[in-house]
Amino acid sequence: QKEVEQNSGPLSVPEGAIASLNCTYSDRGSQSFFWYRQYSGKSPELIMSIYSNGDKEDGRFTAQLNKASQYVSLLIRDSQPSDSATYLCAVSGLNTGANSKLTFGKGITLSVRP
Amino acid sequence: DGGITQSPKYLFRKEGQNVTLSCEQNLNHDAMYWYRQDPGQGLRLIYYSQIVNDFQKGDIAEGYSVSREKKESFPLTVTSAQKNPTAFYLCASSIDSGLAGSNEQFFGPGTRLTVL
């Protein structure tokens, strides 16, 4: 049974701070890693994908992957109140076929205080 | 406008009724997925389809059925056999070509089903 674990929340940070969201996964064969943002009552929105060890930056977001430790994280710099949402970590195997199915963590709710 | 549409946005069902949720995409994606989300829970996979006229059960397929007669459409039927159907239902699609990044899944706006 593939598992994806996220820190239990909620996480609260002041505006302008760095928010750090963490995720661990059980399947060592996982190849693809995703972060989704979900506002209350809305559907998830893909904000970051990462496939190789190291960091990947996109604007204020940085995804970090460490396959040896089976750990993926999302850093949000200069946090804004509009970043307040639930963040879902998702993991999958190969890029296609049955192994492309995503396994989701339960999500962590981030609250950015003005 | 390219995207994924789901209808209806809200659906109310009486116990013992079957209901069908619509999912349509014009992204030319090969793969489509149905998830269920309960409060405070992550997404759980119900069914997925990687090609027309073929689909596979996900982790919680009991009480659900699907069809994939067209590439663009992947309707989900919630049958009376599903004991706890009240949930937020999300449809997603991906290119699924085998190339890097092709398994990124994009979601529709969702259907919120309530059993009365």
Side-chain angles (χ1 to χ4, degrees), chain B residues 8 11 28 44-46 53 55 68-69 89-90 100-101 103:
Chain B
L11 184 58
N28 200 32
R44 292 184 291 167
L45 182 64
I46 304 173
N53 292 324
F55 47 83
R68 187 85 187 275
E69 298 177 0
Y89 289 87
L90 291 156
N103 58 346

Side-chain angles (χ1 to χ4, degrees), chain A residues 23-84:
Chain A
C23 175
T24 59
Y25 57 94
S26 64
D27 183 6
R28 192 168 283 279
S30 299
Q31 304 277 342
S32 308
F33 307 86
F34 307 94
W35 283 98
Y36 287 84
R37 178 177 63 199
Q38 186 175 24
Y39 291 114
S40 180
K42 302 296 185 182
S43 62
E45 173 192 8
L46 180 65
I47 55 172
M48 287 291 281
S49 308
I50 186 166
Y51 303 93
S52 304
N53 279 331
D55 294 359
K56 178 182 177 183
E57 186 175 319
D58 184 359
R60 295 186 296 110
F61 298 100
T62 299
Q64 298 175 318
L65 175 61
N66 184 327
K67 290 185 178 180
S69 299
Q70 296 176 237
Y71 175 95
V72 58
S73 66
L74 180 70
L75 301 179
I76 306 175
R77 292 183 301 281
D78 187 23
S79 295
Q80 301 296 309
S82 59
D83 295 324
S84 297

Side-chain angles (χ1 to χ4, degrees), chain B residues 6-46:
Chain B
Q6 292 185 243
S7 62
K9 186 174 181 179
Y10 298 97
L11 184 58
F12 299 91
R13 189 194 93 172
K14 293 181 180 178
E15 285 195 22
Q17 283 184 335
N18 293 355
V19 290
T20 297
L21 282 58
S22 170
C23 178
E24 304 275 333
Q25 55 97 1
N26 61 5
L27 300 168
N28 200 32
H29 284 177
D30 285 315
M32 297 186 74
Y33 309 81
W34 274 106
Y35 294 91
R36 167 182 174 143
Q37 187 176 36
D38 295 281
Q41 300 293 314
L43 278 66
R44 292 184 291 167
L45 182 64
I46 304 173

